[in-house]
Every structure is written in structure tokens, then in C-alpha cells.
Amino acid sequence: MASVFIDIAAEFTGKKAFKQAETSTEKLTKNVKQLAKTFGLAFGTAQVIAYGKASIKAAAADQKAQQQLALALKNVGLGRDAAASEEYIQRLQTEFGIVDDLLRPAYQALAVATGDTEESQRLLNLSLDISASTGRDLTAVTAALSRAYLGNNTALSRLGVGISKADLKAKSFEEITTQLQSTFAGSATAAANTFQGSIDKLAVASANASEIIGTGLIDALTKLGEDTSVADLAANMEKTALYIADVIRGVGVLAGKLKDLPIIGNIDIGMIPIVGSYLTLLREAGKQAPIQKASDNAHLKSLQNQFTVTKKTTVQNKALTKETAAQLKNKRLEQAINKANLALNKGEEVFDLDKIQIAAALTSQAEQLGKATSSAQVMQIANDTARLNVKKSILVLEDAIAAKDEQAIIAATNKLNADLKVLGALSGQNLKLQDIKSILDSLKPVDLINLTNLDAAIAKMMELLRLQGTKPSVSGGAVGGGSGAAVTQPRSIAEVNAAVAELGLNTQIQPNLREYTPNQGMISGISPNGREFNFTVNVNTGIGDPNAIAEAVTQVIQEAVDRGTLRGTTDLFAI
Amino acid sequence: MPASVKGAVALRKSLRQFSPDLAKALPKEVAAALKPITRAAKGYLPDDGQVLSGWLTREGSQARFPSYNARIVKGGIGYKTTPSKPNRRGFRSLARVFNKSAAGAIYETMGRKTPQSRFVQNQQGKYSSQMKGDQKMEGRALFRAYDENNGKAREAVLKAIQGAANKLNAKAKV
């Protein structure tokens, strides 16, 4: 791009220039440091201050890490094992030469994943072995194991620990870890026993020493700066460092001078007159001062005590909560049962045939009232309605009694009394009702052929056949009808067929046709050509208009004929 | 020399965060201020028929000297309203007009140092043009247009930035 442009407005940010300046300053600092090293100022004041600061920082970081771990364990319900876990980490640190800064996060990750101290320690041991053997980062190994514990084997497969994907899929976590334990057994111990392992142990010891010194410095400086401001504390820190540096330098000078003496082989500072005694006293005072050691875990123990107290309180609270929960549960159960009963009652109402029939009958009565043409019909409808209302009121009263609802019982009783009064008023008109009854009887459907007139009907049929030019199939006298006449005994199909043969007819009754069987409550007649010609069908319909029922049945039969599922015509049926 | 503004980049960020409508309006206002310059600059550029025939794009030519194509050159003139990266001196441009094509840059600045060169003389003979501006800000198209703008665009840009800042401050007051 050609650089032909005009900036109309610009802002000075100076980022680049300042960065250059920063880089230059850093370079200068590095050079100065190197210069200082060249001059051999290892015991210089600045170095002592720096070491002191680093030690304090290390001690503070260590304490923070311990507290973080304790908190994490507490959060996953392993608070009681905080001190034991810290001791375990310290032991691993000493044994394998791995700094606790690495061990704590690893242990924390495993504890969070497993929620079990024993399992966490087992997996951490395994992680140490795998890490020592494969050279992979301990954090990566523990992360892979913790994920595998939770069911995600991807990270574990990437570690290259000699387990195929098929095995990872097929085997359980226990089987996998057992295999890994056998594969990498003793790797961490072997690594710790090498020269590098020894150096690592020294490094750990050095780091621990730094932390211990830092802890001591914190204690000492806290005592120096008691009840004063942070500025005073900082000033005291520097003064102390300066003082210590001078002392160290003085010891160096002293040792240099003493070198010239013939007894310098094993120098005992305590033997130096005056100065030596002061230094010894200082050392003893320092020893007796309550300095917190990194391995003491005093704060963890106090945390554990707190945890014990809290645990007791928690147990009590849990018991209370459990009781309350049980009460709540019972209450909820009761409510649920009540609701269920209510629903059941509703269901019963839905399927209560009495109520359904009453409702249907009332509806029918209302319809009939509209169609009634005479006062007798109206009277009958009114009477039926009153009876139905009485029945309905009785049911309502029964329900109210079952529900133990006082108001409902009173209301239902009043209603029942009122209905009974109406019914009583209607029942007084006996004469009218008798009339109505006779009228209704006349409207009742009459069977053309039934049990009582069966034989007479058969005789009639034979007569008809004779009139049509065919001979009767039954000999005279065997057929009779009417009350008082001898009842014709039922005949079998064979008998009928024989009779038909006598008449010279070729028609035979099929054996699958049913015979007259009074005990089964079914009436069937058999025609000369073997067809059944009569059935009486009783239709149960509650209270209703006989004409309407007959019409409905006729309509159903007609529909069946129309569909082709019934042969014949409705003329063949008497309703 | 561009006008130096303090806090304009931060203002843009704040506008985006707290007043998106103003954040959209500000570049539009700045663009409106810059457009007259670019429009005028495009007008000062010659068409294909007004430059030397040997400078035009030829088929099969392997010449390294950038050939002139009026469409490309005019398209290379534009403006930018977003902050640039900081330059070596730590300045970030807030509003810029540019002439980015190589041939356009040549036409813009040719004759600054050697006004008597044959190429410049021939081109001037074919299409006479006037250079305006001072020293590094001297040119035939963009610089000329900027010079003739008499700082109106700069004022408008600064006014737009100041206006946006004022509006944001007014919004921030409860």
C-alpha cells in the first residue's frame, strides 16, 4: 500500500514507545543483576531481603494452599480427613521428592472426583507411578485418572499407558486401575532412589526450609510489628533483614579470621567468647519461641476441632430436619389420600348407575312432557318425576351422610321431605293413576308369538300352510293351543323331518337349527322348510315411552337389513 | 499535522458499551465530513485518455512500473473512520483519507522532487494539473483536495467526536 494518506485526527497512545522503554529497563535490570552476581554479592543486603521476602511469600503460599485443600475437602464431605490428607502429602513429599505445591492440586482433583479419601490416596499413588514412568506431568495424569473415574476415558487413552481403546471401553475403572498398578508398580520409588530423585528431595527440602524460615519470619515480624501499622511492619522487616545480613556478613568475616587459627577444624560458635554466648542464647530463644512449623498443621488441627463441633451441631440439626421432613411427608400423604378419595368419589359419581338412570329418566320425562297429549300422560309423567326426585334426594342424602357434612345432610333432608310431600300429593289421586295404569298397559308391546301362545301359533301356521295347498306336518291333535288345552310336547328335528317325509315333502330341517328348549328361556319355532321363524327379544330400557323404544328397535333392525347383515324385512318382526 | 485528540479510542469503546446508537452515529458523522475530500480527490484524477499512453495498462506487458487504470486509481481513494494501529511514534489515527493505489500515489506526488523530469513534463503537457499543499502534504489529488478543504473536514471530525462525548456524558448523568 502506497503511503499516501492524511490523518485528520489522531490519538497518542504511546503503547509502542512505552513498551520499548519497559524492555530497555528490564534489560538494564538484568544486566545490573548479572553485574551484582559477578561481584559475588551473594550475601549482600539486597539478597538477604530478597530471600526473606521469597521465604515469606513461600510460607504464605503454602499456608494458603493448605487452607484451599482443607476447604475443598470440607466441601466434598471429607473435612474430617483434612489433617490426615496433609500428613499424607507431607509424607509423599519427603518420600518421592515432589513438592507439595504439585501434590496438593493433584490430591484435591482426585478427592473432588472420588469423594473418598482412601480412593484418592490410591489414585494419587498410582498417578505418581505413572508420572515417574511415563515422564508426564503429575497434574495431567491425575486429571486423566479423575476423569476416567467419572467415566471419561479419553484423557487416559491419550496418556499412552498401554491400555487399548477396546479395553478402556470394555473394562471397568477398577480393572483398568488394577492393570495400571501392575504395569507401573514401584516406578515412583525407583525414580526417587535415583540421583535425580535425590536432587529432587534436596530441592523439596530447600523449599520446605524456605517455607519454614518464611513462617518464622512472619511470626517474628508479627511480634515486632504488634499493634502498629503495616508500614511499621514493612520497615521492621527491612531493618531485621539488614540486621541479619550484617550478622551473617560478620559471621563470614569472623570465620575468615578464625581460619588462621589452628583450631578451626570444627568450630563451635558457642565457644567464641561473649559473641558466641550471645549467638547461642539467641538460638535458644528462637527455638523456644512459638514458631509454626510447616509440618505442624496446627491450623488444620484447629480446623478439625471446629469441624468436630460443627459435626455435632450438624447431626442434631439433621435429626430435627429429619423429624420435620417426616411430619411433612405424613401431611403430604394425608393430603394425597384426601385428594384421591375426592377423585374416587367423583369417579363413583361418574359410574353410579342409579344416578345415571335417574338423570336419564328425568331427561326422558322432560322430553315426554313436551309430547304429552293428554292430561293422564301429564299426570303419569309428573308422578314418575316425583318418584325420581325422591330417589335422587335419597341418594344425595346418603352421600351427605357418608361425607359427614352437616349442612349438606340438613339440606338433603329438607329436599327429600319436600319431594316426599309432592309425591304424597300426587299419590292421593289413585283413581286417576289407575286409569293411567290401564292406559299404559294398553300401550305395552304385545308379543305375536310367545311361550303361552306358541302351540296355538304353530297350529295357526299349519293352518295357513294347509290353506296354501300343503299338508300339515304334524298330525291332528298333537297341535293345540290356548289355556287349558294339552300342551304340545317339544319335538326333535328328527321327528319333524319324519313328519315332513310322511307328508311327501322333500324339505329337511337342518340339524344345526335350534330346537324348542323352554329351559333355556328361548323360544324357537320351526317351519316346515326348516327355518326358524320366531324369536322373542327382551330389550331392557328403563322407564320410557314404549312407542319410542319400539320405534328405536325397529330403526336398528331396519339399519341392519339395509347394511345387509340381516336378511328379511322388518315386517317379519313384531315388537 | 493531524489534530491530536485524547481519549477518543476509549470514547469509542464506551459508546459501543453504553450507547450503541451513538457508536453507530459517530462513524457516520465522521464519514460525512471526509466524503467531500475524497469526492474532490477523485475528480482531480485524470481519466485513461488523459494520461500518457505508455503509462496505461497494456496486454502482455511485463513492466514493473505501476500502470495507470483510472477505475482502479479512483477506487483507491477512500476514507477510514476506525482507529488504526499505533505508528512508531505511538499515535493512532482516528479518521483518515487515503490514496492507496500505486499509480494514484505516483500521480499524486510526481514532480515533488523533480518537476522538470520528462515523464512529469509530458504528463503535464497532456493533462495539466496543479499541486497544492506543503512539503509532504503536497499533491495533485488527495492532498490538493485536503488543502482546498481548508480544515473544514478536520473541524467536522473533531466536532463529531466532541459531540458524541458530550452526548455520552449527558446520558451518564442521572
Side-chain angles (χ1 to χ4, degrees), chain A residues 358-376:
Chain A
I358 290 168
L362 283 170
T363 310
S364 173
Q365 292 298 328
E367 284 177 4
Q368 290 305 314
L369 192 61
K371 294 176 184 173
T373 52
S374 65
S375 59

Side-chain angles (χ1 to χ4, degrees), chain A residues 170-245:
Chain A
K171 289 183 178 178
S172 67
F173 181 74
E174 285 298 323
E175 289 170 339
I176 291 168
T177 49
T178 310
Q179 187 181 336
L180 286 173
Q181 274 170 342
S182 62
T183 309
F184 297 103
S187 300
T189 313
N193 291 334
T194 59
F195 180 66
Q196 180 61 42
S198 305
I199 289 173
D200 289 343
K201 282 179 189 173
L202 281 176
V204 167
S206 168
N208 281 344
S210 177
E211 287 169 7
I212 292 164
I213 290 169
T215 313
L217 279 171
I218 289 171
D219 290 344
L221 291 169
T222 310
K223 278 181 184 173
L224 283 172
E226 253 175 7
D227 300 329
T228 53
S229 66
V230 176
D232 291 343
L233 181 65
N236 283 332
M237 191 192 295
E238 295 207 350
K239 277 180 192 170
T240 312
L242 285 168
Y243 188 80
I244 291 167

